[in-house]
Amino acid sequence: MTFSGESSRPESVSSRRMARRLLSGAGCATLTAYRYGGVCSQIALHALDSDGRVLVAARPLPDHPLASLDDDEIAEVRLDVTLEAAEPGLRITTATAHLLGALRWLGRAEAALVLAGGSAACHCPITGENPLVGLADLACAPGGRLGVIETERVMVHDAMGVSGHSIEQVLSLGEGTLALLWSSFDALSAHEEVSELGDAALDILCTAVGKGAVAGIVCSHRPAEGLCPSLWGRVLCVDVAPDAVTLMRLSRTCIDTLQVWLPDRMRRACEVAPYLRRLVQDALLADALGS
C-alpha cells in the first residue's frame, strides 16, 4: 500500500490540516467581542478564504455590541470553533481552534462581491460545494451581516495536543490544488459506516497501529479514571477526515487515542469504511500466517 511517500507524518502537519478544516467551516463557531465586558458569545457561520481571512456570517440581536458596529468599523474579537464527535449518547470534543483577530463588517456591495467570488479555501471534492453558500443565506437574511476577521495565528487543541500555527502555515497546505472539505452529510455518513465496523474490528486496527503494521500514530495514552464500566471494551470513532480516522479505545485501565492514516487524502468519504475493512482483513491474515 502506498501512502503518498509518507512513512511518517509530522504532528504539526496533522494539526495544521485540522486548523484549516476548522477555520474552513467545520464545527460550531462563536464570536466574542471581548473588549465589551460581560458580553455573551455570538454564534456564527464561518469559512476561510484563499487570502487567509476568516469570513463570518451572523445575525446579532439588536442590543448586542456587534450589531451596532458600522460597516468598516473594527472590533477586536475572539473566534472559537468546536468540533464534536458524532457519537450518540456521548459528548466528545474532537478538536477546537481559537484565535484573536480584528472583525470588520462588510457593506452590502462588498459582501455581494465576496460571496459571488470563488474565494473559499476548501471545497467538497464531489459536488464542488462551496462553504460560502451557507454564509450567503444567513448574511442576506433580515438582520444578517457578513464580516471578515484578519488574524495572524490560530491555536489548535486536537488529538495531537496543543499547537499554534500562523495563517500562512495553514494556507500552505494543499498548495497547487483545492483542499478537501467533506460536506457534513458525507462526514456523518462516513462516521456511521466506520462505527458499524464494530468494536472488535476497530480494536484490531488500533493494535495494528500500535505495532506499526498499519500507517498511523498513537496520539495519547492516559489512565481511565472514572470511566463508566459500560464503556469498557468500546472503540469509538472520534473523527473521520480526508487524511485520517481518529479512534478512541477504552478499557478498564486506560484510554488510547489513535489515528489511522488514509492514503492520498481520500476524495470520497464513502471509501473510508471499505478501506479500513481491508486493513482489518490484512491484519487478521498476517496474524494467521504468523507474520
Side-chain angles (χ1 to χ4, degrees), residues 90-125:
L90 294 173
R91 186 171 184 178
I92 303 172
T93 298
T94 299
T96 61
H98 313 273
L99 62 83
L100 299 178
L103 167 68
R104 177 175 65 89
W105 292 126
L106 304 180
R108 291 296 179 183
E110 186 179 0
L113 289 174
V114 170
L115 294 171
S119 63
C122 289
H123 78 301
C124 176

Side-chain angles (χ1 to χ4, degrees), residues 36-268:
Y36 299 88
V39 172
C40 296
S41 297
Q42 170 67 48
I43 295 177
L45 297 180
H46 65 292
L48 182 69
D49 76 5
S50 54
D51 292 326
R53 303 181 303 174
V54 180
L55 306 179
V56 292
R59 291 181 63 190
L61 295 174
D63 59 348
H64 195 288
L66 291 179
S68 62
L69 291 176
D70 294 331
D71 295 346
D72 292 332
E73 186 177 352
I74 300 298
E76 292 179 302
V77 297
R78 186 181 77 234
L79 178 73
D80 301 290
V81 183
T82 301
L83 177 66
E84 294 190 348
E87 190 65 41
L90 294 173
R91 186 171 184 178
I92 303 172
T93 298
T94 299
T96 61
H98 313 273
L99 62 83
L100 299 178
L103 167 68
R104 177 175 65 89
W105 292 126
L106 304 180
R108 291 296 179 183
E110 186 179 0
L113 289 174
V114 170
L115 294 171
S119 63
C122 289
H123 78 301
C124 176
I126 305 304
T127 65
E129 179 181 338
N130 189 325
L132 299 185
V133 174
L135 274 72
D137 291 340
L138 180 56
C140 295
R145 305 187 75 173
L146 181 74
V148 296
I149 300 176
E150 296 190 359
T151 187
E152 296 181 353
R153 192 168 181 81
V154 57
M155 297 295 298
V156 176
H157 297 238
D158 62 1
M160 299 299 180
V162 182
S163 57
H165 312 281
S166 69
I167 294 299
E168 288 78 10
Q169 289 174 321
V170 174
L171 285 176
S172 67
L173 294 177
E175 186 173 354
T177 185
L178 289 172
L180 305 186
L181 180 69
W182 288 337
S183 68
S184 298
F185 176 79
D186 285 342
L188 180 59
S189 297
H191 183 283
E192 292 177 350
E193 292 170 0
V194 170
S195 297
E196 287 174 357
L197 294 177
D199 294 324
L202 296 180
D203 182 73
I204 291 172
L205 274 180
C206 291
T207 300
V209 169
K211 292 180 177 178
V214 167
I217 188 172
V218 179
C219 305
S220 65
H221 176 85
R222 61 186 188 276
E225 297 178 1
L227 184 65
C228 179
S230 64
L231 294 175
W232 295 347
R234 295 287 311 279
V235 181
L236 307 178
C237 180
V238 176
D239 189 41
V240 181
D243 58 295
V245 174
T246 305
L247 303 173
M248 181 179 291
R249 179 165 60 178
L250 311 174
S251 72
R252 183 171 185 170
T253 59
C254 63
I255 300 175
D256 295 327
T257 302
L258 309 95
Q259 281 191 347
V260 181
W261 293 338
L262 302 176
D264 300 323
R265 303 207 67 201
M266 281 191 173
R267 295 181 61 82
R268 298 176 64 93

Side-chain angles (χ1 to χ4, degrees), residues 6-41:
E6 293 181 276
S7 58
S8 63
R9 182 179 297 170
E11 295 180 9
S12 59
V13 171
S14 178
S15 291
R16 287 203 299 271
R17 287 177 178 171
M18 178 60 78
R20 182 162 184 159
R21 180 176 162 208
L22 291 176
L23 295 183
S24 296
C28 179
T30 58
L31 281 171
T32 304
Y34 58 87
R35 293 297 185 186
Y36 299 88
V39 172
C40 296
S41 297

